[in-house]
Amino acid sequence: MKHIMTAAALALGATGAAQAADDVTLQLKWVTQAQFAGYYVALDKGFYEEEDLNVTILPGGPDIAPTQVIAGGGADVTVEWMPAALAAREKGLPLVNIAQPFKSSGMMLTCWKDAGIETPEDLKNRTLGVWFFGNEFPFMSWMSQLGIGTDGKDENGVEVLKQGFNVDPLLQRQADCISTMTYNEYWQVIDAGVSPEELVTFKYEDQGVATLEDGLYVLEENLENPEFADKMERFVRASMKGWKYAEENPDEAADIVLDNDASGAQTEEHQKRMMGEIAKLTAGSNGALDPADYERTVSTLMGGGSDPVITKQPEGAWTHAITDAALN
C-alpha cells in the first residue's frame, strides 16, 4: 500500500525536498543572450525549482572555453557545439551529448553581393572571415568538400581571416564574407546600415554541412553515477520546458534574458529579434538528439580533407538515456 501516505509523512517529504534541492551548474557557450533563453526561462519560471534543482547559470565569453571549465570541475553540464565537443573527445576529454535542444544550425557566411558572389564556387580567390577556437571546423569542412584550399587566395583557394567577435571586417571591406549567426552577427551588419539586398548569405544548413550547435554535454564518468544521471534527467526536462515556453512566448523570453544580463550590454530590440531567430532553430526538437543529425555532423567533420577535425568515428559521444527518462 505504498501509495497511501499520511499527511505528516507528506509534510515531512515536502520540507525534506525543500531543504535538499540538488545543485547544478550550467556553463554557457557565450555571454547572456537569447541564444540561451530556455535556461533562463526555466530558472525564472521556477521549472528547475519544480524539479528540486538549484541551478546556477555561468555566462561564457571570449576568454572562457566551456570544455576547459567542465574539465576542471567548474560546471556539471555545458552548452557546446558538437564539432568542439567531438574534437575535445578525440583529444581525451570524454564529453557526452545528453540532449540536443537545437535542431538546426544558425551558422552562415554573409557576403557583399557587389563582390560578385552568387554561389559557393564564387568564394574562390576571396578573403573570408572565420571564427576560430573550435568554430572554424564546419567552415574548413565545407571548403574541403568544395575543393577550395584555405592556405591563401588563388583560383582554387581562399584567404582565411581570423575574425574577432564583431562584423568590422565586412563593414571595413577587409573581407568579402564573414561568419555570422542567423540570430546575432547578421543583424549587427543590418544595424550598421546595410540593407539585406546588398548581401548574399550561405546557410550551412542549406549547404548540407550543418553541424549540431548548442547541445548539452557532461563528462562521461559522471553519467555512471545514478544520482548525477537523475539530476540531469530533471535538468533536461525543466530546460526543455523552458525552451518550449521561450518558443511560444519569444518577447517574454527576451525580457527574462535581459533581466539576467548582469553586463547590461544587451538591448531589448536585439534580444527580441534574436529570440525570434533562435525559436526557428529549437523548433522541431523535443530535446532528444536525432541520430541522423549526429551522423551528418560526424561526416562533415571527417570530410575535412587532409586536415579533418576528427580522424575516426567517435564511440559513445552521445546518449539517449537522459532524454528517454526525462521526456517519457
Side-chain angles (χ1 to χ4, degrees):
M1 299 295 287
K2 70 172 191 209
H3 60 276
I4 296 176
M5 285 183 80
T6 64
L10 278 169
L12 188 68
T15 53
Q19 287 163 358
D22 293 312
D23 292 332
V24 173
T25 302
L26 169 68
Q27 174 64 58
L28 301 181
K29 183 169 172 63
W30 194 239
V31 297
T32 301
Q33 57 182 16
Q35 178 182 359
F36 311 108
Y39 310 109
Y40 287 113
V41 166
L43 189 64
D44 186 83
K45 290 283 172 192
F47 300 160
Y48 290 135
E49 207 179 341
E50 286 165 18
E51 292 285 357
D52 212 17
L53 295 174
N54 174 37
V55 174
T56 302
I57 301 176
L58 304 176
D63 306 322
I64 297 168
T67 48
Q68 286 174 7
V69 174
I70 198 166
D76 299 298
V77 55
T78 185
V79 177
E80 186 51 280
W81 287 3
M82 189 171 274
L86 292 179
R89 187 177 176 85
E90 188 165 291
K91 291 189 185 87
L93 181 68
L95 291 176
V96 178
N97 177 303
I98 58 164
Q100 186 59 46
F102 277 48
K103 174 70 178 164
S104 310
S105 161
M107 189 105 152
M108 59 183 186
L109 208 58
T110 295
C111 309
W112 285 116
K113 188 178 272 182
D114 66 15
I117 296 169
E118 290 177 19
T119 72
E121 288 300 310
D122 300 328
L123 296 172
K124 292 173 184 172
N125 215 9
R126 311 275 182 182
T127 299
L128 310 179
V130 177
W131 293 312
F132 276 72
F133 304 109
N135 302 339
E136 74 276 22
F137 299 146
F139 170 82
M140 296 301 187
S141 298
W142 182 28
M143 290 300 110
S144 173
Q145 290 183 29
L146 289 171
I148 297 177
T150 53
D151 295 328
K153 269 200 278 198
D154 58 36
E155 61 270 22
N156 283 311
V158 295
E159 179 79 28
V160 175
L161 174 76
K162 275 197 180 180
Q163 183 182 332
F165 294 98
N166 60 52
V167 297
D168 296 350
L170 189 75
L171 299 177
Q172 295 165 8
R173 293 202 178 249
Q174 297 160 336
D176 298 300
C177 309
I178 59 168
S179 302
T180 61
M181 301 306 287
T182 55
Y183 50 82
N184 197 358
E185 294 76 14
Y186 173 80
W187 297 101
Q188 291 173 19
V189 176
I190 300 300
D191 286 344
V194 178
S195 79
E197 291 72 37
E198 294 176 84
L199 301 170
V200 174
T201 58
F202 300 103
K203 289 187 179 177
Y204 283 56
E205 199 71 48
D206 298 340
Q207 300 301 320
V209 292
T211 52
L212 284 168
E213 296 159 6
D214 292 68
L216 291 172
Y217 293 84
V218 301
L219 292 177
E220 193 166 334
E221 66 256 30
N222 290 342
L223 282 175
E224 291 159 21
N225 174 346
E227 284 178 16
F228 180 85
D230 174 66
K231 247 189 347 185
M232 287 302 106
E233 285 163 24
R234 288 178 281 144
F235 174 76
V236 167
R237 185 159 52 230
S239 296
M240 288 314 300
K241 196 171 170 185
W243 273 119
K244 294 305 141 182
Y245 187 95
E247 266 178 45
E248 287 160 23
N249 305 276
D251 285 357
E252 186 189 346
D255 286 336
I256 288 170
V257 169
L258 288 163
D259 289 344
N260 282 279
D261 175 29
S263 73
Q266 306 295 358
T267 66
E268 182 177 15
E269 183 195 20
H270 187 54
Q271 289 309 301
K272 289 191 170 172
R273 200 163 50 184
M274 187 184 292
M275 187 60 232
E277 293 296 330
I278 289 290
K280 297 175 189 172
L281 304 182
T282 57
S285 173
N286 67 352
L289 174 77
D290 181 338
D293 294 343
Y294 166 80
E295 294 296 345
R296 183 193 64 211
T297 297
V298 169
S299 63
T300 296
L301 298 179
M302 291 184 74
S306 60
D307 192 20
V309 177
I310 49 174
T311 59
K312 53 186 185 287
Q313 281 282 343
E315 301 273 329
W318 61 277
T319 177
H320 273 162
I322 301 297
T323 46
D324 282 350
L327 307 172
N328 297 337

